[in-house]
Amino acid sequence: MDVLIEVLLRAGRSAVELSLFVLLPVMVVMLSLMRFLEARGVLDWLVDKTAPVVKPFGLTGLGVFAALQINFVSFAAPLATLVMMAQRGASDRHIAATLAMVFAMSQANAALPMLAMGLDIGLTLLWSLLGGLAAASATYYFFGRQLSSAEGVLDEHLDHPVADSAKGILDVINRAGAEAFRLATGAIPMLVLSLVAVSVLRAYGAIDALTALLAPLLDWAGIDRMLVLPALTKYLAGGTAMMGVVDEMRRAGQISIELLNQSAGFLISPFDLPGVAVLISAGPRIAQVWKPAACGACVGIALRTLGHVCMG
């Protein structure tokens, strides 16, 4: 019992420190910046200018907005954009391509706080963009080619507050701060549970047994055995939980900055059980196209993984 209590207290302390002292400050700054640019119309202008560029990849202007949201806000932020696409007449092929892009891209709620752990954010964002475009193209032209291309008259501008005065700017910043606080505090339960589960699995030798079982395959593929634990955590509990485990391993000297950057391509994305569940909850039209989107996302994540391994 004493051991369990010690595990709980240590996990709770680590989760609170990571959420409030790493995740919260980064998300406050980035969300304030994103919401300010949104309220000033900068993002609308960017969407208008880039929409023709991304069209050959199977994306629309709203797809650009979803890409900005996943990379600079959080993995759940594109949810509203996907809902808007479904409601405003986007074709099933475009929805599938956008969903695949989101699945394959880097998620801000994990990538941005991991700056403090040594993550190369420039490299991460570059391969996030390339992987997202590859995922969208693979879905639109191959995995989702049988989906309907019928499209209504699509309004590609999202409703948002306008900051044309000092009070308006202050309101935008306050809302962004409140949103960041909700994200940071909302991550604490999952972080605590994942860190407790990982500690228990370690204590009973389950992680070591799994690593030993996979050792021949990992050695043949040239994959570091230290990645078993963060990868298992990521795909079962999500990116935020993975971030907590990586932070623990970094503090213990079990994972290097070089290994962190080399593995970012497949560790940092919303393509995991919690991420997929949240994103396909956007509505029935989104849920109907998740299979071709998932196949396309695998192409994008494979490209990101290769890029990080070669350049990380």
Side-chain angles (χ1 to χ4, degrees):
M1 182 60 70
D2 290 341
V3 174
L4 179 59
I5 292 175
E6 177 62 27
V7 167
L8 288 171
L9 292 176
R10 187 168 61 247
R13 190 180 309 113
S14 297
V16 170
E17 288 179 355
L18 185 60
S19 295
L20 298 185
F21 300 116
V22 177
L23 181 59
L24 180 59
V26 173
M27 296 310 294
V28 165
V29 173
M30 291 307 301
L31 274 171
S32 296
L33 177 61
M34 284 292 292
R35 297 311 185 201
F36 174 74
L37 294 176
E38 181 183 63
R40 297 292 289 182
V42 174
L43 296 188
D44 287 338
W45 175 85
L46 184 62
V47 166
D48 287 338
K49 296 299 181 183
T50 55
V53 178
V54 299
K55 188 176 181 180
F57 297 97
L59 298 170
T60 64
L62 287 176
V64 176
F65 205 87
L68 292 170
Q69 289 173 317
I70 186 70
N71 282 286
F72 295 104
V73 181
S74 79
F75 84 97
L79 198 65
T81 304
L82 290 168
V83 170
M84 202 69 67
M85 290 182 69
Q87 292 176 344
R88 295 186 179 181
S91 70
D92 288 345
R93 285 181 75 186
H94 280 129
I95 291 174
T98 303
L99 183 60
M101 176 197 68
V102 171
F103 280 159
M105 281 186 146
S106 168
Q107 57 186 114
N109 56 298
L112 297 180
M114 290 177 77
L115 272 167
M117 304 178 197
L119 182 69
D120 187 336
I121 194 63
L123 185 67
T124 301
L125 290 176
L126 171 64
W127 284 107
S128 175
L129 172 63
L130 296 177
L133 293 177
S137 299
T139 303
Y140 189 80
Y141 292 108
F142 184 69
F143 296 111
R145 65 186 183 278
Q146 79 285 357
L147 297 174
S148 172
S149 299
E151 191 163 357
V153 179
L154 185 62
D155 178 5
E156 296 192 326
H157 293 89
L158 294 178
D159 296 327
H160 54 72
V162 177
D164 52 6
S165 66
K167 185 178 184 301
I169 293 173
L170 185 60
D171 287 342
V172 168
I173 293 173
N174 286 336
R175 280 194 295 269
E179 186 179 355
F181 187 78
R182 285 195 301 272
L183 285 171
T185 55
I188 292 176
M190 182 58 74
L191 282 171
V192 172
L193 290 173
S194 63
L195 291 175
V196 168
V198 166
S199 298
V200 171
L201 290 173
R202 276 175 171 169
Y204 286 95
I207 299 298
D208 291 337
L210 180 61
T211 303
L213 181 65
L214 297 175
L217 179 61
L218 295 174
D219 293 341
W220 175 79
I223 300 173
D224 195 302
R225 299 182 185 184
M226 284 294 109
L227 294 177
V228 171
L229 179 56
L232 182 65
T233 306
K234 183 261 182 304
Y235 286 100
L236 293 180
T240 306
M242 176 276 299
M243 178 179 63
V245 170
V246 168
D247 186 53
E248 287 282 304
M249 295 177 68
R250 182 184 62 87
R251 293 173 187 269
Q254 297 174 332
I255 189 169
S256 65
I257 293 177
E258 181 183 9
L259 182 58
L260 171 62
N261 282 289
Q262 288 177 341
S263 59
F266 67 91
L267 284 183
I268 305 177
S269 77
F271 192 56
D272 47 53
L273 289 179
V276 171
V278 168
L279 289 169
I280 67 174
S281 69
R285 291 192 63 199
I286 286 81
Q288 287 172 2
V289 301
W290 81 269
K291 290 182 180 179
C295 293
C298 291
V299 174
I301 292 172
L303 178 62
R304 286 186 60 206
T305 301
L306 182 62
H308 276 273
V309 169
C310 294
M311 299 178 64

